[in-house]
Amino acid sequence: MTTNWPDLDAVQSWDAADPLAACRARFALPVGTIYLDGNSLGALPRATAARVADAVTRQWGTDLIASWNKHGWIEAPARLGARIAPLIGASPDEVIVADSTSVNLFKLLAAACAARPDRSTILAEPGNFPTDLYVANGVAKMMPGRSVRTVPAAQIAAAIDQDTAVVLLTHVHYKTGAMLDMAGITAAAHRAGALILWDLSHSAGAVELDLNGCSVDLAIGCGYKYLNGGPGAPAFLFVARALQQTLSSPLSGWMGHAAPFDFGDEYAPAPGVRRFLCGTPPILAMSALESGLDTFDGTTLAQLVAKSRRLGDLLIAGIEARCVRHGFTLVTPRDPLARGSHVSIAHPHAWEICQALIARGVVGDFRAPDVLRLGLTPLYTSFEDVWQAVDRLAAVMDEGAWRDPAFAERAAVT
Ligand SMILES: *Cc1c(COP(=O)(O)O)cnc(C)c1O
């Protein structure tokens, strides 16, 4: 035991003084559950069911096709993009909501490669979230002479050279929780004449982001993690204003046309970021995402970031004080400036421990082969949640509860 671990009373007083404490009531969290998986699927906002029901019953049911204009359906991709912009340090006209993260990655990566025709390499990190590498390889296969080169994150900046067309990196690593130096790596890419594309899936809504301050070219991110948009929510993409006229989407669908309702035979891309839309936006899913974005109302990015870091500090202190002796190793960097908003710990029985923890009301998740991930969502995770989670994890280990054979069974989705 170290002296670093506070009493429950102390932690409750931090919650009482937390400027974001009131935001928790915006979510319909099940009673008795400590939800530490908002980095994988954000919790359900209380307002979402009524919001989606209104889009279905009144807008679709009653106003029918008039809703495209009357209820702003056609503007939803740009409207939601503009609301994500302040969370990522972008201008409202640089962000648009569309498709999935994987599809947005395809569109921007192919556009970036086409904009650097004399360079052959997509530079990426091995061990990135699989879809990022799969899509990068798919793009390379489609474009003659292109290939994907993977280099460990720590060596990426030094590996960018005259042959690098685009550097593709995930800002906060999904498994380790490590956060990369966006400003430094972006500058290194630009010095070598390459473009950079950041995946913000585990960043947006929880960590410090300043895309324009870092002169980032391109970014993508997820709507269903910290943005609380619901399972499979539409994703977002960012294209810096300076690049919007020069890049073109490989999925040249009609919603990205300058004048979709002219119904002309010739494709002419929309002037701004809207050219990266493809087909008709999924309005019901968009309405859920809009409700997710409402949960950020009245908060500042600085508040979110400060709380995320304090939650992480507390969780790491608790793991070190009460759990490390049971064979856990801390995977996530201890430095709050070098980590995102989840904490990962490794243990040879991480799967069973994760299941035993869920049985005690603490929902985290498992990432193969041996990582237990605990996500911290500044809008609704309390300091007491973290304290209780550590207490229950310590109990699971002290009692050996994870050895129950029922916890060894594997599910399809981890
Ligand atoms: C969650 C996540 C995705 C998700 O992609 P989908 O197309 O929504 O399935 C992509 N990349 C990273 C880094 C992620 O963490």
Side-chain angles (χ1 to χ4, degrees):
M1 296 276 162
T2 71
T3 51
N4 255 345
W5 187 235
D7 293 338
L8 183 54
D9 285 358
V11 162
Q12 286 170 337
S13 73
W14 300 354
D15 282 323
D18 171 18
L20 297 178
C23 297
R24 186 180 174 95
R26 297 175 179 175
F27 294 87
L29 290 160
V31 177
T33 295
I34 295 174
Y35 190 62
L36 301 183
D37 218 355
N39 57 319
S40 200
L41 175 63
L44 170 66
R46 275 189 204 283
T48 297
R51 179 70 156 264
V52 174
D54 180 67
V56 171
T57 309
R58 184 174 63 96
Q59 298 181 19
W60 177 16
T62 305
D63 293 329
L64 289 160
I65 202 163
S67 294
W68 284 106
N69 296 311
K70 184 174 178 180
H71 297 296
W73 285 1
I74 198 69
E75 291 307 324
R79 184 173 67 244
L80 273 60
R83 296 192 61 187
I84 293 169
L87 292 171
I88 63 175
S91 297
D93 61 347
E94 294 176 311
V95 187
I96 201 144
V97 168
D99 303 316
S100 65
T101 308
S102 303
V103 172
N104 287 337
L105 173 59
F106 173 81
K107 291 184 290 188
L108 294 192
L109 200 52
C113 286
R116 289 290 181 276
D118 303 333
R119 293 166 174 245
S120 67
T121 311
I122 298 169
L123 191 60
E125 175 191 12
N128 193 354
F129 189 79
T131 209
D132 294 60
L133 291 171
Y134 302 161
V135 170
N137 277 298
V139 168
K141 237 183 185 169
M142 280 180 48
M143 303 182 87
R146 309 301 174 111
S147 60
V148 178
R149 179 180 167 213
T150 57
V151 173
Q155 294 149 37
I156 280 268
I160 304 168
D161 61 22
Q162 299 306 309
D163 206 30
T164 309
V166 53
V167 180
L168 164 65
L169 287 170
T170 296
H171 179 232
V172 173
H173 194 278
Y174 80 101
K175 202 187 286 187
T176 66
M179 183 160 74
L180 297 179
D181 172 12
M182 180 178 282
I185 299 172
T186 299
H190 288 167
R191 274 196 301 276
L195 291 166
I196 191 138
L197 197 173
W198 288 99
D199 187 330
L200 308 178
S201 290
H202 280 279
S203 307
V207 310
E208 178 80 62
L209 281 171
D210 186 5
L211 297 190
N212 281 330
C214 296
S215 301
V216 168
D217 300 310
L218 304 163
I220 52 167
C222 213
Y224 52 79
K225 291 171 179 164
Y226 295 109
L227 301 184
N228 309 311
F236 66 89
L237 65 86
F238 160 91
V239 180
R241 203 178 281 153
L243 286 171
Q244 288 177 4
Q245 310 311 321
T246 50
L247 298 187
S248 45
S249 176
L251 297 179
S252 45
W254 73 308
M255 281 292 148
H257 192 281
F261 292 92
D262 284 358
F263 296 101
D265 282 355
E266 297 297 322
Y267 177 76
V273 71
R274 205 169 58 76
R275 67 176 56 186
F276 282 96
L277 295 182
C278 183
T280 305
I283 294 303
L284 303 182
M286 290 267 181
S287 73
L289 176 58
E290 197 156 18
S291 173
L293 295 173
D294 285 347
T295 63
F296 289 86
D297 282 352
T299 67
T300 66
L301 182 54
Q303 288 172 332
L304 298 164
V305 171
K307 185 170 175 195
S308 161
R309 289 178 184 161
R310 284 183 67 201
L311 289 166
D313 288 343
L314 179 66
L315 179 52
I316 290 172
I319 288 162
E320 295 194 322
R322 303 199 50 197
C323 304
V324 156
R325 65 199 173 84
H326 289 291
F328 288 103
T329 49
L330 183 64
V331 174
T332 302
R334 200 175 276 102
D335 175 4
L337 300 179
R339 64 170 137 86
S341 204
H342 67 269
V343 172
S344 297
I345 51 181
H347 191 287
H349 294 287
W351 169 263
E352 292 89 334
I353 293 164
C354 184
Q355 303 317 303
L357 204 52
I358 292 169
R360 292 187 185 204
V362 179
V363 180
D365 64 22
F366 166 81
R367 285 294 172 264
D370 62 354
V371 168
L372 172 61
R373 258 189 347 176
L374 302 168
L376 306 166
T377 305
L379 285 176
Y380 53 78
T381 306
S382 66
F383 294 104
E384 178 166 356
D385 282 341
V386 171
W387 194 96
Q388 296 286 3
V390 168
D391 202 54
R392 292 183 208 178
L393 177 58
V396 161
M397 302 313 296
D398 292 342
E399 297 163 20
W402 59 271
R403 295 178 196 276
D404 184 329
F407 295 135
E409 246 168 75
R410 301 275 173 134
V413 174
T414 65

